Amino acid sequence: MDNELYSKKFEKFYESLTANFADTSDIQNVVSLAVQGIAEDLKIGMLTADVNIPVSVRVPNGKNERYILYDSGAHSEEYKEFQYLTADGGRLTYQVYSVPDYEYDVEDDKILEFIIGIIAYVSRYVRIAEHDAMNAFTDSLTGCLNSNGLSRNGGLLFLKHDIADYASVYFNIKNFSYFNHVDRTKLGDEILKKFSIAVNAYIQNEEIFARLGGDSFVAFVKKERVDNFVDFITSMNIRANTNRGPKEFTVECNAGLYFAVHKDNISNLINYSAIACKYARNSKTYDCVWFRDYMIDDNLREKEISYKFHDAVSEEKFAVYYQPKVNLEDGTLGGAEALVRWAAKERIIQPNEFIPVLEKEGSIKDLDFYMLKHVCKDIRTWIDKGIEPVPVSINFSKMHIYNDNLAERISKIITEYGVDPKYIEIEITEKSCTDDFLTLKGFMKAMQDRNIKTAIDDFGDGISSLNYLRDLSFNYIKFDKVFIDNVDNGSQKDDIIVTSLIDMLNKLGKCVVAEGVETKKQADFLKKVGCKYAQGYYFDRPLEKEDFVGRLENKKYDY
């Protein structure tokens, strides 16, 4: 059959172009060999290609290179240019120079466009095929290795190198939810991409970096580079776009470290450094924590708590204890704080055992609403029995503040139980202020609009700021025990600080509650300087519901 769609030379060109690729690094060499067989017929004196690839995890520095695909040794000065986009947002630009003293006509242009189009198509196809082959091993958002890629590449790495030469670094971005809250997920995604690009560029050829999901990452780095690597990831400036324009953010990380030994495997490296990272997230002192053997037992205990939590909620194994607040002006019961205890089969589990675990995994939010409902139920019962309640405060985790419907949901629960909002107070820790001040401000305003009182808890435990006192619409402020421990103990400086703060807050119309009062001396001092309420073991320990009813029926304290 003889027709214009087929020729022996075209067949040879096409076979040469499509049959010899190994990966994208071979593209230019294969194209050069294929073009040699048709260059004379097409009057090609030189063929060049500009390859422009944007910055990504796979190409941390981007790519902007020119390749000479064919050069006969002589060519004209003029050239024909053809441009094509790549799947990764890059661009391929080909320049075709004719042989000397030959000028391409319109018909030549069509043939050149056809041939160069085939070259570009095959080049792009190989790039896409290689990209698809890597999808099982790479993270779709950032392009860096995923858990499958980490296992595969880690296995290959440790076949060539001793695993004991490496350290595993597991790290999370601090307060990552803030970035998603600022501009939904758009800003968060951009932060993750740029953070990943920066870390991947810092990693050396014989090291590995992977994203395991969310804002969790792990890297296998050489032991001698661990300190430098941790310094790099724990504080990084990233410029990103927001709905208000470009802005520079300081991205910080918590990190867990583990030094591998000869008997280790990849699972050990990931698990042990991940366990250490949990400790770093909970530490008030250290952003980076080394793995220690005792952490394994602690981790198993945490998993047990997490596993049993939801059953304990459905079976109502969490009990509400009430710690009285005493009105120092008249020595009467003025309120209470609702505290949770886990009544397990074998023992009462204290909050310091399970609260940190539930906070880490987010289940604390379910427990907070559980407590609110049970307090409302108790208050409703007391009222129905003719017992006059007192205001009860319920602690809400800082994790709630990004819920736009939080105030509405709290109000709905109070209404469902037919409880007057004056009997409910919501406590948010001072540390919530530092996470997102404007969001907290909006929440407190929404609560005020619903006639529900709010309190800043643990004031003095974090980095106290006068901005909180001036700008937030709260009703109560609770002084942390760290303030109370030092009052009236001979330290004039501590007495002056507490006295001045209480005086200022009283003038601002804010009510002060002192926590951790353990002696009469402390109670007398606080009363003298104008503190209205106090709670602590000097007056009462946290009481079971039945015992607290006795306090409601006899509200007078003799102290």
Side-chain angles (χ1 to χ4, degrees), residues 169 226 230 234 253-257 276 279-280 283 285-290:
V169 185
V226 166
V230 169
T234 49
C253 289
N254 292 308
L257 309 180
Y279 278 78
S283 173
T285 308
Y286 302 105
D287 293 333
C288 180
V289 173
W290 288 97

Side-chain angles (χ1 to χ4, degrees), residues 67-114:
Y67 297 91
I68 298 177
L69 303 177
Y70 175 77
D71 188 355
S72 66
H75 58 82
S76 63
E77 295 298 322
E78 301 295 324
Y79 61 86
K80 298 289 183 179
E81 184 170 276
F82 305 90
Q83 289 191 6
Y84 306 88
L85 296 178
T86 65
D88 52 5
R91 187 174 66 254
L92 302 175
T93 305
Y94 297 90
Q95 298 88 19
V96 183
Y97 298 79
S98 65
V99 295
D101 301 324
Y102 185 85
E103 184 175 347
Y104 289 128
D105 58 24
V106 174
E107 198 62 32
D108 291 333
D109 289 348
K110 292 180 180 179
I111 295 173
L112 289 174
E113 185 175 6
F114 172 69

